[in-house]
PDB file of all heavy atoms in Angstrom:
ATOM      1  N   GLU A  63      44.999  95.432  72.316  1.00 76.00           N
ATOM      2  CA  GLU A  63      44.055  94.420  71.770  1.00 76.00           C
ATOM      3  C   GLU A  63      44.691  93.552  70.719  1.00 76.00           C
ATOM      4  O   GLU A  63      44.484  92.324  70.725  1.00 76.00           O
ATOM      5  CB  GLU A  63      42.837  95.246  71.017  1.00 76.00           C
ATOM      6  CG  GLU A  63      41.788  94.282  70.523  1.00 76.00           C
ATOM      7  CD  GLU A  63      40.585  95.042  69.959  1.00 76.00           C
ATOM      8  OE1 GLU A  63      39.986  95.844  70.670  1.00 76.00           O
ATOM      9  OE2 GLU A  63      40.228  94.704  68.881  1.00 76.00           O
ATOM     10  N   MET A  64      45.497  94.135  69.855  1.00 77.00           N
ATOM     11  CA  MET A  64      46.240  93.291  68.944  1.00 77.00           C
ATOM     12  C   MET A  64      47.079  92.220  69.463  1.00 77.00           C
ATOM     13  O   MET A  64      47.303  91.111  68.984  1.00 77.00           O
ATOM     14  CB  MET A  64      47.041  94.170  67.985  1.00 77.00           C
ATOM     15  CG  MET A  64      46.173  95.005  67.046  1.00 77.00           C
ATOM     16  SD  MET A  64      44.930  94.250  66.080  1.00 77.00           S
ATOM     17  CE  MET A  64      46.018  93.375  64.915  1.00 77.00           C
ATOM     18  N   SER A  65      47.775  92.592  70.726  1.00 77.00           N
ATOM     19  CA  SER A  65      48.638  91.625  71.478  1.00 77.00           C
ATOM     20  C   SER A  65      47.820  90.813  72.396  1.00 77.00           C
ATOM     21  O   SER A  65      48.451  90.087  73.230  1.00 77.00           O
ATOM     22  CB  SER A  65      49.770  92.390  72.096  1.00 77.00           C
ATOM     23  OG  SER A  65      49.249  93.247  73.132  1.00 77.00           O
ATOM     24  N   GLU A  66      46.543  90.929  72.373  1.00 70.00           N
ATOM     25  CA  GLU A  66      45.622  90.212  73.233  1.00 70.00           C
ATOM     26  C   GLU A  66      45.751  90.477  74.709  1.00 70.00           C
ATOM     27  O   GLU A  66      45.425  89.586  75.547  1.00 70.00           O
ATOM     28  CB  GLU A  66      45.821  88.688  72.923  1.00 70.00           C
ATOM     29  CG  GLU A  66      45.336  88.358  71.516  1.00 70.00           C
ATOM     30  CD  GLU A  66      45.374  86.921  71.187  1.00 70.00           C
ATOM     31  OE1 GLU A  66      45.546  86.095  72.095  1.00 70.00           O
ATOM     32  OE2 GLU A  66      45.277  86.579  69.989  1.00 70.00           O
ATOM     33  N   GLU A  67      46.232  91.684  75.156  1.00 57.00           N
ATOM     34  CA  GLU A  67      46.270  91.992  76.530  1.00 57.00           C
ATOM     35  C   GLU A  67      44.887  92.343  77.019  1.00 57.00           C
ATOM     36  O   GLU A  67      44.496  92.222  78.190  1.00 57.00           O
ATOM     37  CB  GLU A  67      47.161  93.243  76.735  1.00 57.00           C
ATOM     38  CG  GLU A  67      48.562  92.931  76.563  1.00 57.00           C
ATOM     39  CD  GLU A  67      49.422  94.265  76.659  1.00 57.00           C
ATOM     40  OE1 GLU A  67      49.003  95.224  77.368  1.00 57.00           O
ATOM     41  OE2 GLU A  67      50.563  94.356  76.023  1.00 57.00           O
ATOM     42  N   ILE A  68      43.958  92.734  76.036  1.00 55.00           N
ATOM     43  CA  ILE A  68      42.623  93.008  76.420  1.00 55.00           C
ATOM     44  C   ILE A  68      41.714  92.016  75.680  1.00 55.00           C
ATOM     45  O   ILE A  68      42.025  91.617  74.590  1.00 55.00           O
ATOM     46  CB  ILE A  68      42.212  94.388  75.907  1.00 55.00           C
ATOM     47  CG1 ILE A  68      43.134  95.452  76.683  1.00 55.00           C
ATOM     48  CG2 ILE A  68      40.721  94.751  76.011  1.00 55.00           C
ATOM     49  CD1 ILE A  68      42.795  96.906  76.150  1.00 55.00           C
ATOM     50  N   ASN A  69      40.669  91.598  76.216  1.00 56.00           N
ATOM     51  CA  ASN A  69      39.657  90.625  75.698  1.00 56.00           C
ATOM     52  C   ASN A  69      39.078  91.237  74.494  1.00 56.00           C
ATOM     53  O   ASN A  69      38.276  92.075  74.583  1.00 56.00           O
ATOM     54  CB  ASN A  69      38.683  90.292  76.726  1.00 56.00           C
ATOM     55  CG  ASN A  69      37.613  89.210  76.242  1.00 56.00           C
ATOM     56  OD1 ASN A  69      37.762  88.848  75.065  1.00 56.00           O
ATOM     57  ND2 ASN A  69      36.680  88.800  77.046  1.00 56.00           N
ATOM     58  N   VAL A  70      39.476  90.792  73.270  1.00 56.00           N
ATOM     59  CA  VAL A  70      39.021  91.418  72.025  1.00 56.00           C
ATOM     60  C   VAL A  70      37.588  90.967  71.718  1.00 56.00           C
ATOM     61  O   VAL A  70      36.989  91.587  70.823  1.00 56.00           O
ATOM     62  CB  VAL A  70      39.928  90.977  70.810  1.00 56.00           C
ATOM     63  CG1 VAL A  70      41.331  91.510  71.067  1.00 56.00           C
ATOM     64  CG2 VAL A  70      39.974  89.486  70.648  1.00 56.00           C
ATOM     65  N   HIS A  71      37.002  90.064  72.429  1.00 52.00           N
ATOM     66  CA  HIS A  71      35.707  89.587  72.097  1.00 52.00           C
ATOM     67  C   HIS A  71      34.592  90.341  72.901  1.00 52.00           C
ATOM     68  O   HIS A  71      33.391  90.261  72.568  1.00 52.00           O
ATOM     69  CB  HIS A  71      35.527  87.971  72.541  1.00 52.00           C
ATOM     70  CG  HIS A  71      36.547  87.176  71.727  1.00 52.00           C
ATOM     71  ND1 HIS A  71      36.510  87.054  70.368  1.00 52.00           N
ATOM     72  CD2 HIS A  71      37.620  86.560  72.170  1.00 52.00           C
ATOM     73  CE1 HIS A  71      37.500  86.193  70.063  1.00 52.00           C
ATOM     74  NE2 HIS A  71      38.202  86.003  71.057  1.00 52.00           N
ATOM     75  N   GLU A  72      34.983  91.229  73.752  1.00 69.00           N
ATOM     76  CA  GLU A  72      34.032  91.891  74.544  1.00 69.00           C
ATOM     77  C   GLU A  72      33.892  93.322  74.017  1.00 69.00           C
ATOM     78  O   GLU A  72      34.791  94.097  73.775  1.00 69.00           O
ATOM     79  CB  GLU A  72      34.590  92.066  75.982  1.00 69.00           C
ATOM     80  CG  GLU A  72      33.687  92.682  76.999  1.00 69.00           C
ATOM     81  CD  GLU A  72      34.199  92.659  78.351  1.00 69.00           C
ATOM     82  OE1 GLU A  72      34.907  91.672  78.741  1.00 69.00           O
ATOM     83  OE2 GLU A  72      33.962  93.602  79.040  1.00 69.00           O
ATOM     84  N   HIS A  73      32.677  93.756  73.719  1.00 74.00           N
ATOM     85  CA  HIS A  73      32.339  95.027  73.083  1.00 74.00           C
ATOM     86  C   HIS A  73      32.360  96.030  74.407  1.00 74.00           C
ATOM     87  O   HIS A  73      31.760  95.722  75.453  1.00 74.00           O
ATOM     88  CB  HIS A  73      31.041  95.142  72.451  1.00 74.00           C
ATOM     89  CG  HIS A  73      30.554  96.494  72.066  1.00 74.00           C
ATOM     90  ND1 HIS A  73      31.192  97.162  71.076  1.00 74.00           N
ATOM     91  CD2 HIS A  73      29.693  97.283  72.537  1.00 74.00           C
ATOM     92  CE1 HIS A  73      30.619  98.375  70.825  1.00 74.00           C
ATOM     93  NE2 HIS A  73      29.768  98.427  71.759  1.00 74.00           N
ATOM     94  N   SER A  74      32.803  97.253  74.140  1.00 84.00           N
ATOM     95  CA  SER A  74      32.873  98.274  75.149  1.00 84.00           C
ATOM     96  C   SER A  74      32.191  99.513  74.663  1.00 84.00           C
ATOM     97  O   SER A  74      32.756 100.216  73.782  1.00 84.00           O
ATOM     98  CB  SER A  74      34.312  98.589  75.600  1.00 84.00           C
ATOM     99  OG  SER A  74      34.297  99.820  76.311  1.00 84.00           O
ATOM    100  N   LEU A  75      31.039  99.843  75.129  1.00 91.00           N
ATOM    101  CA  LEU A  75      30.340 101.063  74.775  1.00 91.00           C
ATOM    102  C   LEU A  75      31.013 102.292  75.181  1.00 91.00           C
ATOM    103  O   LEU A  75      31.102 103.298  74.550  1.00 91.00           O
ATOM    104  CB  LEU A  75      28.911 101.057  75.355  1.00 91.00           C
ATOM    105  CG  LEU A  75      27.913 102.264  74.922  1.00 91.00           C
ATOM    106  CD1 LEU A  75      27.812 102.168  73.476  1.00 91.00           C
ATOM    107  CD2 LEU A  75      26.648 102.012  75.624  1.00 91.00           C
ATOM    108  N   LEU A  76      31.759 102.175  76.354  1.00 93.00           N
ATOM    109  CA  LEU A  76      32.519 103.332  76.832  1.00 93.00           C
ATOM    110  C   LEU A  76      33.734 103.568  75.947  1.00 93.00           C
ATOM    111  O   LEU A  76      34.001 104.808  75.627  1.00 93.00           O
ATOM    112  CB  LEU A  76      33.072 102.965  78.232  1.00 93.00           C
ATOM    113  CG  LEU A  76      33.922 104.109  78.876  1.00 93.00           C
ATOM    114  CD1 LEU A  76      33.131 105.481  79.081  1.00 93.00           C
ATOM    115  CD2 LEU A  76      34.475 103.661  80.178  1.00 93.00           C
ATOM    116  N   PHE A  77      34.427 102.574  75.406  1.00 92.00           N
ATOM    117  CA  PHE A  77      35.500 102.785  74.508  1.00 92.00           C
ATOM    118  C   PHE A  77      34.947 103.357  73.171  1.00 92.00           C
ATOM    119  O   PHE A  77      35.640 104.170  72.559  1.00 92.00           O
ATOM    120  CB  PHE A  77      36.333 101.493  74.236  1.00 92.00           C
ATOM    121  CG  PHE A  77      37.589 101.765  73.585  1.00 92.00           C
ATOM    122  CD1 PHE A  77      38.665 102.337  74.318  1.00 92.00           C
ATOM    123  CD2 PHE A  77      37.851 101.381  72.255  1.00 92.00           C
ATOM    124  CE1 PHE A  77      39.866 102.652  73.671  1.00 92.00           C
ATOM    125  CE2 PHE A  77      39.059 101.701  71.707  1.00 92.00           C
ATOM    126  CZ  PHE A  77      40.023 102.336  72.346  1.00 92.00           C
ATOM    127  N   THR A  78      33.808 102.784  72.707  1.00 93.00           N
ATOM    128  CA  THR A  78      33.257 103.317  71.472  1.00 93.00           C
ATOM    129  C   THR A  78      32.886 104.792  71.688  1.00 93.00           C
ATOM    130  O   THR A  78      33.249 105.651  70.692  1.00 93.00           O
ATOM    131  CB  THR A  78      31.952 102.520  71.160  1.00 93.00           C
ATOM    132  OG1 THR A  78      32.302 101.199  71.001  1.00 93.00           O
ATOM    133  CG2 THR A  78      31.249 103.121  69.843  1.00 93.00           C
TER     134      THR A  78
END
Side-chain angles (χ1 to χ4, degrees):
E63 183 175 306
M64 296 301 292
S65 66
E66 298 183 10
E67 291 175 27
I68 296 175
N69 182 358
V70 296
H71 302 290
E72 189 175 323
H73 174 74
S74 167
L75 187 58
L76 181 61
F77 193 75
T78 301

